[in-house]
Amino acid sequence: NFFSQANVSALQNAKITVNVSNKNITEILDVTVNKSSSKLNGQGVSLRNVTVNADFVELEQMNIRGNLIVTNLAQQSVSANNIHLTGSVNVMGNTYDSYTNSSAVGSGLVLHFNRSTIPNVTVDRSHTTFSGNTTIALLTATGATQNMYVHVPVEQIQLNSGYTLSLNATNQIKMVT
């Protein structure tokens, strides 16, 4: 059950949009996680969109028909394990100026994708690291993206950033456009 004791921490202060029929929840549409250091186990549930507004959030065992949105409030780490995504991961957030005092390679947000289906990722944030064992079909760098550290296989990287982009990759990238 999505509303089980195991998800209590992740659902604290969460925003949840549902369909209701005859006073019963018939479908969970959208979930926004606002609690840091929490784990949300979807137990196979199908959701329209999931938004992460916190650090150290783990998402597990869910189907996301729309988008996984990672906002600027997630600044350290977000993990997706056994997630089947049909839309996009949208990484929104901080401009490069937020990190000018940070010289650590890979500083900033780390996205861990394990045993998941991730067709598209769009990044509009500098200093973003991708790790795990999931292949990303299309990774697009836009807007404020200046540094990306890619430690997952990627079919194609598309560069649409308004800045000079530093790309550090330790895995196979089939095409850069």
Side-chain angles (χ1 to χ4, degrees):
N1 183 336
F2 186 79
F3 296 104
S4 71
Q5 186 66 32
N7 287 334
V8 166
S9 178
L11 295 176
Q12 278 186 334
N13 299 318
K15 179 181 176 188
I16 303 171
T17 306
V18 298
N19 280 336
V20 176
S21 177
N22 297 322
K23 299 182 183 180
N24 292 312
I25 296 173
T26 58
E27 182 179 24
I28 304 168
L29 298 172
D30 303 316
V31 175
T32 300
V33 178
N34 295 308
K35 176 89 166 86
S36 291
S37 299
S38 61
K39 180 178 182 178
L40 181 62
N41 187 327
Q43 301 174 9
V45 72
S46 181
L47 304 166
R48 185 173 52 191
N49 295 300
V50 175
T51 301
V52 177
N53 284 333
D55 276 329
F56 305 107
V57 171
E58 291 182 48
L59 305 173
E60 289 191 348
Q61 297 181 17
M62 61 184 74
N63 297 311
I64 303 173
R65 302 183 310 274
N67 298 318
L68 169 57
I69 301 158
V70 180
T71 71
N72 65 327
L73 298 175
Q75 296 189 14
Q76 300 284 322
S77 173
V78 174
S79 298
N81 302 307
N82 290 322
I83 302 295
H84 178 74
L85 178 70
T86 55
S88 270
V89 175
N90 297 314
V91 183
M92 303 159 15
N94 302 331
T95 63
Y96 180 72
D97 295 338
S98 301
Y99 293 98
T100 53
N101 294 325
S102 176
S103 60
V105 171
S107 62
L109 178 66
V110 179
L111 295 167
H112 305 277
F113 296 133
N114 292 301
R115 300 174 314 280
S116 296
T117 304
I118 309 290
N120 300 301
V121 177
T122 301
V123 181
D124 187 5
R125 174 190 282 209
S126 195
H127 291 277
T128 304
T129 300
F130 298 91
S131 71
N133 59 18
T134 296
T135 299
I136 298 171
L138 175 63
L139 174 57
T140 303
T142 65
T145 308
Q146 289 189 345
N147 295 286
M148 277 196 317
Y149 308 91
V150 181
H151 307 293
V152 295
V154 176
E155 301 275 330
Q156 179 180 356
I157 294 181
Q158 190 172 48
L159 306 176
N160 294 330
S161 175
Y163 297 92
T164 301
L165 176 68
S166 171
L167 176 64
N168 178 327
T170 59
N171 243 308
Q172 179 181 5
I173 297 173
K174 290 188 179 178
M175 181 185 339
V176 178
T177 59

